[in-house]
Amino acid sequence: MSNVDVVLGAFYGDEGKGKIIDYLSTNADVSIRCTGGNNAGHTIEVDGVKYAFHLIPSGILNENTLAVIGNGVVIDPRVLIEEIDNLKAHGFSVSNLRISDKAHIIMPYHIAMDKLLEENRGNDKIGTTARGIGPTYCDKYERSGIRVQDFVNPERFKNCVIRNVENKNKIFALYGKEQLDAEKIFEEYSKYATILKPYVVDTVVLLHNCIKDNKKLLCEGAQATLLDIDFGSYPFVTSSNPSMGGICAGSGISPKNIGEIYGVIKAYSSRVGTGPFLTEQLNETGDKIRELGHEYGTTTKRPRRCGWLDLVAIKYSVMVNGITAIAINHMDTIGKFDKIKLCVAYNHKGKVTTDFSTNPDYLNNCEAVYEEFDGNFGDLSNCKTKEDLPINAKNYLKRIEEVLEVPVKFIGTGAGRENLILC
């Protein structure tokens, strides 16, 4: 029997994955972050306190859960140490944290390169968070990256820093940018390495030993499918695979061990940054969704673009990932509208279709086809089962299940940990 469950974002990110992960991790022995860097964020509210996670798996809030940063993650050690310190300050132990020796380290030259590349794009900016994520992955595939196992080996780390800074400075010089000091970087980052070294292990071996011991594992997806480097709205995507393929590649877990794959969505849609968004509402509706849903980035604080739920795009995500169940958040938010629209198809050059493509030529010639539903769900905070929901909320959820052909297993009815219905 498979004992590894997965939680993935099924749209453009910020779907509230942390809430679902937080619940599932209470029954998990191991919680694993597999891809991305500190350009992602999960926010979990516990006892009125909000915790924003950018690198550490949010399962760490459960003391009996091992929290693993997998090999597919790129790590800014300064950010990671800040998260560790913040957790300790709030009374949480981080003795259950493990870091893959194969994960890659984000260095200062990656951040400088990220800013330079975005600057050079002019009017074609991607909207990167400028945290060095993309350049770190570039170095990983160009085979000049610094792995954690190099980072915690002083001699090897120093050689890597000197070599890489020398090469990057040649590029910065061409653009008249400030030169970086390899010795200062090595001195500073060596201190970070000393702090993080106790948490470093071969997580591939660790995870497979956990599977052999019949322990329950939960993989936390970062970002979302439509930001996937291969399957998303390229080039307006992230630099990794936040889809199902990235889970296996970013952890070393075999596909045969995977069980449930939960796709997380909101009862409406949102997106941060540039790129296509067919159901975006550049009007009072979009503004109202943003304010009611507090749609501002966990990492960037940028206001998110908001609109109606796009089931055509999400069905594509279901297909690509093999999603077995849906978790839907913000039912309380969308329920404040008198009328709600749901995109169930596209009109492509006069032909109604349910086909999705990330090809901009296709999307630029599509218009959303909507169905309208009654809103005014009222206060959902006391609803403990799906049956407790008002009829208008049930009708909305039923249509979502019909179109996606996947059952809804979780329903978020508020920000708190307790505002979650299990179906």
Side-chain angles (χ1 to χ4, degrees), residues 229-300:
I229 191 72
D230 289 299
F231 303 114
S233 56
Y234 192 90
F236 305 107
V237 292
T238 192
S239 303
S240 60
N241 290 106
S243 58
M244 189 57 222
I247 296 296
C248 295
S251 65
I253 295 172
S254 166
K256 72 178 182 180
N257 297 119
I258 304 298
E260 295 287 348
I261 304 172
Y262 297 99
V264 186
I265 63 175
K266 284 186 285 207
Y268 52 85
S269 298
S270 72
R271 176 168 193 173
V272 171
T274 311
F277 184 0
L278 255 67
T279 58
E280 181 177 13
Q281 298 298 298
L282 296 170
N283 49 34
E284 291 181 2
T285 297
D287 294 340
K288 183 177 179 180
I289 292 173
R290 185 181 303 107
E291 295 310 311
L292 289 174
H294 308 291
E295 290 297 340
Y296 296 89
T298 300
T299 298
T300 64

Side-chain angles (χ1 to χ4, degrees), residues 386 396-408:
K386 193 175 183 179
Y396 189 61
L397 290 170
K398 181 181 178 182
R399 185 59 176 142
I400 290 170
E401 290 181 318
E402 288 174 350
V403 174
L404 297 182
E405 299 179 296
V406 175
V408 170

Side-chain angles (χ1 to χ4, degrees), residues 225 231 243-245 315-323:
T225 304
F231 303 114
S243 58
M244 189 57 222
K315 192 165 186 177
Y316 166 84
S317 184
V318 169
M319 174 185 72
V320 167
N321 293 302
I323 288 170

Side-chain angles (χ1 to χ4, degrees), residues 97-384:
L97 175 65
R98 301 291 183 272
I99 303 170
S100 172
D101 62 345
K102 298 175 181 62
H104 279 247
I105 297 293
I106 298 173
M107 299 295 292
Y109 50 79
H110 291 131
I111 296 170
M113 184 64 70
D114 205 351
K115 294 175 181 177
L116 173 60
L117 291 170
E118 188 75 340
E119 179 184 312
N120 286 346
R121 290 187 180 104
N123 294 328
D124 297 322
K125 286 179 170 53
I126 290 173
T128 172
T129 57
R131 283 163 168 77
I133 312 298
T136 306
Y137 278 114
C138 286
D139 278 5
K140 174 179 178 175
Y141 289 104
E142 195 269 323
R143 290 158 294 181
S144 64
I146 298 177
R147 281 178 155 189
V148 170
Q149 60 192 20
D150 305 314
F151 181 54
V152 297
N153 181 311
E155 184 177 352
R156 199 157 68 233
F157 180 49
K158 187 170 187 177
N159 290 336
C160 289
V161 171
I162 292 172
R163 178 197 65 204
N164 288 356
V165 170
E166 182 180 342
N167 289 333
K168 301 300 182 187
N169 274 342
K170 293 176 183 177
I171 298 173
F172 296 142
L174 290 174
Y175 289 94
K177 298 298 181 180
E178 182 181 354
Q179 296 287 282
L180 300 180
D181 188 320
E183 288 294 338
K184 285 185 178 179
I185 291 173
F186 172 71
E187 183 179 349
E188 178 186 355
Y189 276 66
S190 292
K191 295 175 184 176
Y192 303 149
T194 300
I195 295 170
L196 296 176
K197 187 174 182 178
Y199 305 104
V200 177
V201 298
D202 185 332
T203 56
V204 176
V205 173
L206 170 69
L207 295 176
H208 279 276
N209 284 338
C210 290
I211 291 171
K212 286 179 183 178
D213 292 339
N214 203 35
K215 293 187 175 181
K216 187 69 177 174
L217 281 67
L218 176 67
C219 294
E220 302 187 12
Q223 289 106 2
T225 304
L226 296 186
L227 294 177
D228 188 279
I229 191 72
D230 289 299
F231 303 114
S233 56
Y234 192 90
F236 305 107
V237 292
T238 192
S239 303
S240 60
N241 290 106
S243 58
M244 189 57 222
I247 296 296
C248 295
S251 65
I253 295 172
S254 166
K256 72 178 182 180
N257 297 119
I258 304 298
E260 295 287 348
I261 304 172
Y262 297 99
V264 186
I265 63 175
K266 284 186 285 207
Y268 52 85
S269 298
S270 72
R271 176 168 193 173
V272 171
T274 311
F277 184 0
L278 255 67
T279 58
E280 181 177 13
Q281 298 298 298
L282 296 170
N283 49 34
E284 291 181 2
T285 297
D287 294 340
K288 183 177 179 180
I289 292 173
R290 185 181 303 107
E291 295 310 311
L292 289 174
H294 308 291
E295 290 297 340
Y296 296 89
T298 300
T299 298
T300 64
K301 308 303 179 187
R302 288 184 292 184
R304 296 175 185 144
R305 303 158 60 192
C306 296
W308 301 118
L309 185 58
D310 185 345
L311 293 184
V312 180
I314 294 169
K315 192 165 186 177
Y316 166 84
S317 184
V318 169
M319 174 185 72
V320 167
N321 293 302
I323 288 170
T324 60
I326 292 292
I328 182 167
N329 286 312
H330 281 278
M331 280 292 288
D332 54 318
T333 300
I334 204 68
K336 292 182 173 68
F337 283 80
D338 295 331
K339 296 290 183 180
I340 308 166
K341 290 185 178 181
L342 191 61
C343 175
V344 297
Y346 292 165
N347 186 324
H348 180 251
K349 297 182 177 180
K351 179 183 177 181
V352 176
T353 178
T354 56
D355 291 338
F356 180 83
S357 171
T358 57
N359 187 323
D361 293 334
Y362 175 81
L363 290 179
N364 289 339
N365 286 286
C366 286
E367 293 181 357
V369 176
Y370 292 109
E371 292 178 359
E372 191 170 80
F373 295 79
D374 290 327
N376 293 320
F377 297 167
D379 183 7
L380 303 182
S381 61
N382 293 321
C383 296
K384 303 304 178 186

